[in-house]
Amino acid sequence: MPSIDEFGLIARLFAPLAQSHAGAQSLRDDCAYIDGPDGMAWALSTDALVAGVHFLPDDPPDLIARKLVRVNLSDLASSGARPRFLLLACCFPRSSGAAWLEAFAAGLAADCQSFGLALIGGDTVATPGPLTLAATALGDLPAGQALLRGNARAGDDLWVSGTIGDAAFGLEVALGQAPEQPELLERYRLPRPRLELGMALRGLAHACMDVSDGLMGDLGHIAAASGLAAELWAEMVPLSAAVRARMGADGLEKAVTGGDDYELLFTAPAARRQDLAALERSLDLRLTRIGRMMPAEGPDQPVRLLDGEGRPLAPPRPGYRHF
Ligand code: ADP
Ligand code: MG
């Protein structure tokens, strides 16, 4: 186990290799960007999924394939890009049977079709280890319009789409630690990338990212990349009825630190509140103002969780870290 966390490791070992390309965003964004012809740009994102880490080994194969596609598309959504192409690397255990592989491919086909993606390459190998998958998604958008983590401004409202915490509670269902609750389980197994929202936020939001590793920790990435601090209002965090029904004493902490939400977290000036209300109606997707961005006062605690009276709550443990 390395002595630095995942993000320290990326910053120290890999970010120096990204310096020659400004569109790499110093490896601090959800996507990398490459300018293309005719005023367009490519947004690119790669994500890996490992059995036992990101899904359970006996999850249905079609849903594993679709989760792989969707976690990548969620990064494109956070940049405001439209999905176009997919590259796929599969490390299949030798024991994978034909029926399993066919169901996997059927799930892949369903999502490529529904999201307008063409599969254009990849690699297929056998592994003695757990099922390991990686996909790279390419999307397009108008050059210069990508929504970046680092563009938040002091005074911006902080918004989030949908509801938070469903997948964290869904994982408990998947692990058999909580009673069956299909809608929570589905939120864990089958993320819904907020692509329409991402594209609609171009020119409206200042900063944006997708929430994959827990709301609190991911908000820390927007704050750090923007050189700001953030306030998160605990009572405003949108929770589904299913999550509320499940909430024990540690419910809010689980909701704001649990992973796999794949909602969009974004900042926008107060002057755009009416536009966002209109967008919420036209997309039929809940958009909730959950805090604000402020000037950074120091290096410590860039994100403060506040109760309904504005009093600081004890900071929950950080979001999911691989290292
Ligand atoms: P996300 O959750 O949005 O997929 P991550 O937290 O996984 O993003 O990664 C943060 C940033 O670090 C991204 O810009 C990603 O491309 C970059 N990154 C992560 N691992 C590596 C790596 N091994 N090599 C180069 N860049 C990496
Ligand atoms: Mg992301």
Side-chain angles (χ1 to χ4, degrees):
M1 176 79 70
S3 58
I4 47 175
D5 75 7
E6 178 186 344
F7 302 109
L9 193 149
I10 293 166
R12 187 158 70 82
L13 300 184
F14 298 131
L17 311 185
Q19 274 170 355
S20 60
H21 181 62
Q25 296 293 321
S26 306
L27 304 186
R28 290 177 73 162
D29 200 62
D30 297 276
C31 289
Y33 306 94
I34 301 174
D35 282 342
D38 304 325
M40 63 78 71
W42 292 107
L44 299 92
S45 160
T46 288
D47 275 291
L49 297 190
V50 180
V53 179
H54 301 94
F55 58 89
L56 305 185
D58 57 355
D59 276 349
D62 58 323
L63 295 188
I64 296 172
R66 295 171 77 192
K67 183 165 184 175
L68 177 68
V69 170
R70 289 163 182 235
V71 299
N72 273 284
L73 295 191
S74 181
D75 281 324
L76 294 188
S78 78
S79 300
R82 180 171 48 132
R84 298 296 300 274
F85 301 109
L86 190 74
L87 293 147
L88 175 65
C90 301
C91 309
F92 293 125
R94 284 193 190 283
S95 56
S96 312
W100 191 99
L101 292 167
E102 271 162 30
F104 178 87
L108 191 64
D111 268 7
C112 282
Q113 167 140 31
S114 58
F115 292 112
L117 276 170
L119 178 66
I120 57 166
D123 198 15
T124 304
V125 300
T127 173
L131 172 62
T132 300
L133 304 161
T136 301
L138 286 79
D140 61 7
L141 74 170
Q145 286 194 32
L147 299 167
L148 304 175
R149 292 182 185 182
N151 278 352
R153 300 186 204 155
D156 274 358
D157 293 332
L158 179 69
W159 295 81
V160 75
S161 63
T163 55
I164 290 296
D166 300 74
F169 284 86
L171 174 59
E172 288 188 344
V173 175
L175 291 170
Q177 296 168 352
E180 258 323 285
Q181 200 150 3
E183 67 266 45
L184 294 179
L185 184 60
E186 177 165 322
R187 284 293 303 266
Y188 171 70
R189 284 179 167 171
L190 201 58
R192 301 172 215 164
R194 301 303 191 185
L195 289 155
E196 297 298 325
L197 174 62
M199 287 187 264
L201 288 177
R202 294 195 305 236
L204 201 170
H206 282 159
C208 186
M209 73 178 294
D210 69 320
V211 184
S212 55
D213 295 338
L215 180 65
M216 279 289 288
D218 282 344
L219 176 53
H221 294 310
I222 287 189
S226 302
L228 297 173
E231 265 179 12
L232 178 63
W233 303 330
E235 290 182 10
M236 303 306 290
V237 174
L239 303 173
S240 66
V243 162
R244 281 189 194 281
R246 276 285 162 80
M247 290 249 288
D250 65 343
L252 183 70
E253 170 159 344
K254 184 185 271 298
V256 300
T257 61
D260 281 324
D261 291 306
Y262 298 105
E263 295 293 349
L264 294 188
L265 177 65
F266 58 95
T267 82
R272 304 306 299 265
R273 283 178 196 167
Q274 285 193 353
D275 297 310
L276 286 161
L279 192 57
E280 175 175 46
R281 286 191 296 275
S282 67
L283 295 179
D284 191 23
L285 172 62
R286 189 165 165 184
L287 301 179
T288 311
R289 196 151 57 85
I290 56 167
R292 62 185 171 133
M293 304 303 298
M294 357 237 296
E297 280 166 16
D300 296 335
Q301 270 209 40
V303 178
R304 295 200 311 155
L305 185 64
L306 302 181
D307 73 9
E309 268 81 56
R311 289 179 305 233
L313 293 165
R317 67 190 163 77
Y320 188 80
R321 299 277 162 93
H322 285 274
F323 295 105

